[in-house]
Amino acid sequence: MNSAIANLFHAVMVRTNKTLFVWMLIMLVGLPACTSVNTFPMAARAGDTVSVMVGGSELARKETMSVTLTDATSQTWDLKSLGLVRSVFNLRTEGRAYGMHYSPYLDSYISWSAGHEPVQTVLVADLPVNVNPGMATLNVSLNATDNSSGIASPFSVKLEILAGAGSSDQFLHRNAGGGSAAADFSRFEPAPHAKIDFGNGTIIGAASLTISFNNAVLNGNDINVYVPESTVRGSFISPGAFGATQRMVYWHQDGLKLYIDVVAPQGIDARYLKLFIVHPRGLSASPSFSLVSASVYDTSGAAIALQPSLTYYSY
């Protein structure tokens, strides 16, 4: 690509970058757990911002990922050690999306088999300011055990480096006061949380949990409980009707303990029952979540010898 064409291409990209980035997000949520062949945009200047789909992982974070860039002269930069990895976050499909309900069975099931709800993991990074023009390769490793994309790490993503000096995109957006503000990617990333997991295979009819926490560190009013919902139907051989993964969840806290009750009259496979206890960042110490008691029942009301696990992620 000659310099005149490159400059024209970049001028167009600058004017349309925000729209294209939003369009990319729209496409991503319809294709959970994909791994890109190219970055977005596919061509950028040194110092510009690029994004890339890197699979589907609940555990992947910018602090744990390995990201390097090798340019046309075989020079390699470690983007994470240079502080150029700006964010790693997950996107989820809008609840009314056609693909949310009428995708092939494997598409709806694969993420749950990896231990998490369907998500699309996205990496946003700035390119080094002194990277050389020409074809380059972004090498990415999630360093996570729950990637549902089926693509092994590390994997490579292609991009073209254009001549000229670029700049980091702040993804400015208008606010109600008529001004503008930069995107705060940290708001897309997970809040500190505890995950309660019931394993897989066991059919659960109801569960009652009591979780203690350190109220000297965490105000109970700041606790919220997030419960992802599955739309998986039947099996690969016999899809069956929707509704097999329905459940009702009720919870409250009294300032000392958190109480969570789950009801699934038709029964729910434990793999589709995940509970997340979230709290604000910036606590003075760990909230010390502890599963004090857990009673689990089958659809007939008989007790099941099943002990859920509780894992805390400080983030």
Side-chain angles (χ1 to χ4, degrees), residues 66 98 108 121 128 133 237:
S66 301
Y98 189 88
S108 64
T121 305
I237 297 174

Side-chain angles (χ1 to χ4, degrees), residues 82-148:
L82 291 171
L84 297 177
V85 176
R86 293 173 57 184
S87 186
V88 173
F89 57 89
N90 283 328
L91 300 172
R92 291 166 176 78
T93 305
E94 197 268 335
R96 300 167 299 166
Y98 189 88
M100 180 79 169
H101 308 281
Y102 303 109
S103 292
Y105 176 79
L106 185 60
D107 288 357
S108 64
Y109 170 79
I110 189 65
S111 295
W112 294 101
S113 70
H116 58 80
E117 65 178 311
V119 293
Q120 175 63 63
T121 305
V122 179
L123 163 72
V124 179
D126 290 338
L127 300 177
V129 295
N130 54 344
V131 64
N132 295 293
M135 293 307 300
T137 302
L138 195 67
N139 298 292
V140 180
S141 181
L142 270 65
N143 299 321
T145 58
D146 67 340
N147 185 9
S148 57

Side-chain angles (χ1 to χ4, degrees), residues 27 102 285 299:
M27 291 190 294
Y102 303 109
T299 55

Side-chain angles (χ1 to χ4, degrees), residues 162-186:
L162 303 174
S167 60
S168 176
D169 193 332
Q170 300 307 302
F171 298 96
L172 297 176
H173 59 276
R174 292 186 176 90
N175 57 36
S180 63
D184 180 2
F185 283 113
S186 69

